Amino acid sequence: MLRKNNSKRTHSSITFRRSSQGEINSEPMNTYTFSPLRGASRIAGIYFIVGCLWILLTDRAVSALTNSAELITTINMIKGWFFVFMTALLIFVLILGTLKRIRKVEQDLEGSYKKMMMTHENLESAYEEITATEEELRQQYDQLIENQRKLRESEEKMQHLAYHDLLTDLPNKLNLYENAANILADSNGTAALMFVDIDNFKYINDTMGHGFGDRLIINASERLLSIVGTGGVIYRFGGDEFIILLHSLKDKADANMMAARILAGLKEAVVIDNSLLHISTSIGISLYPDHGSDIMELVKRADIAMYKAKEAGKGNFVVFDNPLNDTFAERMNIEKLLYTAMEQNEFELFYQPQVDLALNKVTGLEALLRWNSPELGNVSPFKFIKVAEDSHLIIPLGSWVLRRACAFLKKLHKQGYGQLTMSVNISMLQLLQTDFNELVLDTLQSSGLKPDYLELEITESILIESYEVVSAKLNELRDKNIKIALDDFGTGYSSLSYLTHLPISTLKIDKSFIDSIPAETNHAILLEQIMMIGKRMKMCVVAEGVERADQLTYLQDQGCDKIQGYLYSKPLAAKDMEQLLARWESSGIAAACMEP
């Protein structure tokens, strides 16, 4: 088939070249042209010329050699056969050469054909790849269109997330700052901003877990939405803080009414994970435009009022007034200075003696923290302790107090006052630290003080807010022979169940009860009952704030174990306490009473 096709071609040319990679490539070139007519004419012409020359030359040669007719005939016959043989051989050679050239052209054509077929296959493969790529591109284009659709639906969703709280879906702080100005501008001239904070939330979060805390936040937000309704916009400001923007108020009293409704609504019991919880909130209120026309200014002043509400006992609301600025500024200044007070060694421990009435001698000391600031002077503990707790500085500060108190008591033991114990006040945040017990035990070990001589004082609020966590830690400490004292008993949410379930060794009666002695008042009656309960439960009963001799006599008659107060001594620095102990040791306790 290939030869037939080749025979019909009038011209064909093939050349071979070696590529730079060593491959042989066939390319059509105009270096050789094959023609059948020319090939046939060439063979015929050569045969004709050879034949003519053979006849002419051989006949002359024969005539020259002999005149014999018989010999000439024989020679001509031999010459004829030789001519046939030679011409046949010549024709063979000529045809063979021609056929070889034809075969070579044919092979070249076959190679070219195969090359073309391979090229065709490559082209088909490339076409298929292009087709597949085109399909893939089409799919990618379709996917791109789909992604664009999803993107349009999403960065909307992201727009929502950027301006809304992830947990509650309430508008967030950014939303407040960007949109509140328009809400205030559209109000009828009077609006209110309420700063709502859940009381003791950090304690709940730390003791019950962050998951529990998140559900509490969701529950609180749902309650706020149901209470406020369309009368305002609720924002989650962060953590346990909410901002409520009340717009279009008829008068300022509406804000107070709303605050009262919120306080009452959030006080209702919350059930989460089968746990019944009562919470309270503190609310600060700033009024527009009385307390500012800028949203950030309104937030700041509502925040100041909220802190004032907490200081007033929590579960309250306070409307901002200008004097609160001074209070807030003082608090911020105290917090700022607290950060450097420890580094500058501005804190000092004072000690107040506890007198055993049966033994008529000092058997214990209470460590009391004092701060002498170069800028503020002597700062009252009632001011800086609360700030230290809110800023969590109470944790390193409390560790410092524990170390110094234990080291001082060990020093007194070495001086011969081996009967003395040391009482150290512990805050809620300290107890909530996972390594608190280890800290106490390590402090005792490093100071060389036996656990029997250390007493940790806690308040009733600690028990109420984190009973389950605290009880386990206190029991572990009591197992190590460390005493536990319940401070200010009767002033908080007292519950006798704490006294029966917790390892309380000492009951400290608050000064407010002592001040009622000896009048026949409800406080005095309650005081007698407290002392009776303590005695029956085999606890050591300590009366704080004893300042008068008649109070001492009354407490002795009631069987009080120890007293602590200005009647015997005010809190003293370590050096002064050593001198006072030396005087008591030499002259007796009565002679050591503090001069008026």
Side-chain angles (χ1 to χ4, degrees):
M1 186 71 180
L2 182 60
R3 291 174 181 171
K4 182 177 180 181
N5 290 339
N6 286 342
S7 64
K8 291 182 179 179
R9 295 179 181 175
T10 58
H11 299 283
S12 178
S13 62
I14 298 293
T15 186
F16 298 91
R17 292 183 178 178
R18 187 172 297 275
S19 68
S20 62
Q21 291 79 14
E23 296 178 353
I24 296 177
N25 299 322
S26 59
E27 298 177 353
M29 295 186 66
N30 296 325
T31 58
Y32 171 77
T33 303
F34 174 76
S35 172
L37 178 61
R38 183 183 299 171
S41 299
R42 179 169 173 268
I43 295 172
I46 292 172
Y47 181 80
F48 175 76
I49 293 171
V50 170
C52 289
L53 291 174
W54 174 264
I55 294 172
L56 178 61
L57 295 176
T58 55
D59 285 348
R60 286 184 179 179
V62 170
S63 297
L65 289 174
T66 180
N67 293 321
S68 174
E70 183 178 354
L71 183 58
I72 290 172
T73 300
T74 302
I75 292 172
N76 284 336
M77 183 180 65
I78 294 171
K79 182 184 68 171
W81 285 109
F82 182 76
F83 176 76
V84 171
F85 171 76
M86 291 302 295
T87 53
L89 181 60
L90 177 61
I91 291 172
F92 171 78
V93 172
L94 292 174
I95 292 175
L96 179 61
T98 300
L99 291 178
K100 281 184 177 182
R101 289 194 295 275
I102 292 173
R103 179 60 180 164
K104 182 67 170 58
V105 171
E106 185 181 58
Q107 289 176 344
D108 291 344
L109 289 173
E110 287 180 354
S112 298
Y113 177 77
K114 290 179 180 179
K115 184 74 174 179
M116 291 170 59
M117 289 300 295
M118 289 179 63
T119 302
H120 178 71
E121 290 175 357
N122 290 337
L123 288 173
E124 284 187 342
S125 177
Y127 176 76
E128 291 175 357
E129 290 180 2
I130 291 172
T131 303
T133 302
E134 182 181 7
E135 177 64 19
E136 183 179 356
L137 287 173
R138 186 188 64 77
Q139 293 176 357
Q140 290 178 352
Y141 176 76
D142 293 341
Q143 186 64 42
L144 179 62
I145 298 299
E146 177 66 14
N147 290 342
Q148 288 177 340
R149 183 188 66 79
K150 290 181 178 179
L151 283 173
R152 283 194 298 271
E153 292 177 355
S154 298
E155 295 296 4
E156 296 173 0
K157 185 176 181 180
M158 292 304 296
Q159 176 78 5
H160 181 84
L161 291 176
Y163 289 92
H164 290 79
D165 175 57
L166 187 61
L167 180 64
T168 63
D169 202 40
L170 291 175
N172 59 15
K173 184 186 296 187
L174 180 62
N175 195 316
L176 171 70
Y177 286 140
E178 291 196 6
N179 299 321
N182 295 330
I183 296 175
L184 293 175
D186 292 339
S187 65
N188 294 330
T190 302
L193 187 143
M194 307 175 70
F195 200 115
V196 182
D197 183 89
I198 299 176
D199 296 328
N200 305 318
F201 177 77
K202 61 178 176 294
Y203 301 140
I204 297 171
N205 211 33
D206 289 340
T207 55
M208 304 299 290
H210 294 285
F212 187 96
D214 286 346
R215 289 191 288 277
L216 178 59
I217 291 293
I218 294 173
N219 183 280
S221 67
E222 291 172 348
R223 291 192 181 194
L224 287 174
L225 286 170
S226 65
I227 295 169
V228 176
T230 59
V233 183
I234 303 173
Y235 302 83
R236 188 184 180 198
F237 199 64
D240 61 324
E241 299 171 338
F242 298 89
I243 295 290
I244 302 176
L245 196 57
L246 300 176
H247 49 76
S248 304
L249 296 177
K250 293 180 180 178
D251 54 53
K252 299 175 183 178
D254 288 348
N256 294 356
M257 293 174 60
M258 179 61 75
R261 288 176 56 194
I262 291 173
L263 291 176
L266 293 182
K267 277 184 179 178
E268 296 179 5
V270 181
V271 180
I272 300 176
D273 295 341
N274 298 321
S275 295
L276 186 65
L277 185 69
H278 290 272
I279 63 171
S280 65
T281 53
S282 298
I283 303 176
I285 303 175
S286 60
L287 300 174
Y288 169 83
D290 297 10
H291 300 144
S293 57
D294 178 76
I295 186 63
M296 297 187 72
E297 190 175 12
L298 291 172
V299 169
K300 176 183 175 182
R301 294 186 170 180
D303 189 20
I304 293 173
M306 185 273 293
Y307 272 105
K308 188 65 177 178
K310 285 188 177 293
E311 290 177 0
K314 303 178 181 179
N316 296 309
F317 72 87
V318 170
V319 179
F320 174 84
D321 59 21
N322 288 322
L324 287 180
N325 267 336
D326 298 334
T327 302
F328 186 75
E330 181 187 37
R331 185 187 187 282
M332 292 297 102
N333 192 36
I334 288 175
E335 182 174 344
K336 179 186 70 174
L337 295 175
L338 270 176
Y339 278 96
T340 58
M342 287 189 66
E343 298 176 2
Q344 302 299 327
N345 199 27
E346 297 173 11
F347 291 107
E348 185 179 4
L349 282 188
F350 277 47
Y351 303 91
Q352 189 170 34
Q354 296 173 342
V355 180
D356 189 304
L357 297 180
L359 299 176
N360 196 34
K361 66 185 300 185
V362 176
T363 57
L365 303 175
E366 180 180 0
L368 300 168
L369 185 62
R370 296 293 183 262
W371 179 22
N372 185 13
S373 169
E375 295 188 29
L376 305 176
N378 290 319
V379 185
S380 169
F382 294 104
K383 288 186 176 180
F384 76 82
I385 292 294
K386 180 65 171 64
V387 177
E389 288 180 337
D390 290 341
S391 62
H392 286 211
L393 285 172
I394 196 67
I395 296 173
L397 188 56
S399 300
W400 179 85
V401 170
L402 187 63
R403 291 194 302 270
R404 291 292 293 266
C406 289
F408 179 63
L409 184 60
K410 182 62 178 179
K411 178 181 178 182
L412 294 177
H413 282 183
K414 290 180 179 179
Q415 294 176 1
Y417 305 107
Q419 81 285 359
L420 290 178
T421 61
M422 181 65 71
S423 297
V424 179
N425 291 279
I426 302 299
S427 76
M428 162 65 82
L429 284 178
Q430 287 177 273
L431 266 177
L432 290 177
Q433 301 307 303
T434 55
D435 62 344
F436 174 74
N437 285 13
E438 289 78 3
L439 171 68
V440 173
L441 297 175
D442 290 345
T443 302
L444 287 170
Q445 184 178 12
S446 61
S447 65
L449 188 67
K450 293 183 179 179
D452 310 65
Y453 295 100
L454 177 63
E455 184 173 70
L456 302 180
E457 292 193 12
I458 62 174
T459 61
E460 291 178 88
S461 61
I462 290 179
L463 302 178
I464 292 171
E465 292 163 355
S466 303
Y467 176 80
E468 293 180 2
V469 175
V470 167
S471 61
K473 290 188 174 182
L474 295 182
N475 277 296
E476 181 181 342
L477 291 171
R478 193 68 187 94
D479 291 340
K480 302 291 185 181
N481 294 328
I482 297 172
K483 297 180 178 64
I484 308 297
L486 186 58
D487 195 16
D488 300 335
F489 184 75
T491 60
Y493 305 95
S494 302
S495 174
L496 295 180
S497 63
Y498 298 140
L499 303 182
T500 58
H501 291 94
L502 288 175
I504 305 238
S505 55
T506 302
L507 207 58
K508 300 194 73 175
I509 302 173
D510 187 69
K511 184 180 183 296
S512 61
F513 291 98
I514 306 303
D515 290 341
S516 66
I517 296 173
E520 291 291 335
T521 63
N522 290 334
H523 272 72
I525 295 172
L526 183 57
L527 172 61
E528 294 175 8
Q529 296 300 315
I530 291 174
M531 286 193 288
M532 182 183 68
I533 291 171
K535 298 294 287 184
R536 289 189 175 183
M537 298 186 70
K538 301 186 183 306
M539 295 179 184
C540 176
V541 179
V542 179
E544 296 182 291
V546 179
E547 298 176 350
R548 305 191 312 268
D550 59 340
Q551 294 173 337
L552 172 61
T553 301
Y554 179 86
L555 292 170
Q556 286 175 321
D557 293 342
Q558 296 298 324
C560 184
D561 296 305
K562 296 181 181 181
I563 63 170
Q564 177 180 340
Y566 275 36
L567 178 63
Y568 285 105
S569 175
K570 64 180 180 180
L572 299 173
K575 185 177 180 180
D576 296 331
M577 178 54 66
E578 292 181 56
Q579 296 175 356
L580 186 60
L581 288 173
R583 292 201 305 271
W584 282 346
E585 190 74 14
S586 61
S587 60
I589 194 168
C593 290
M594 174 184 170
E595 295 88 355

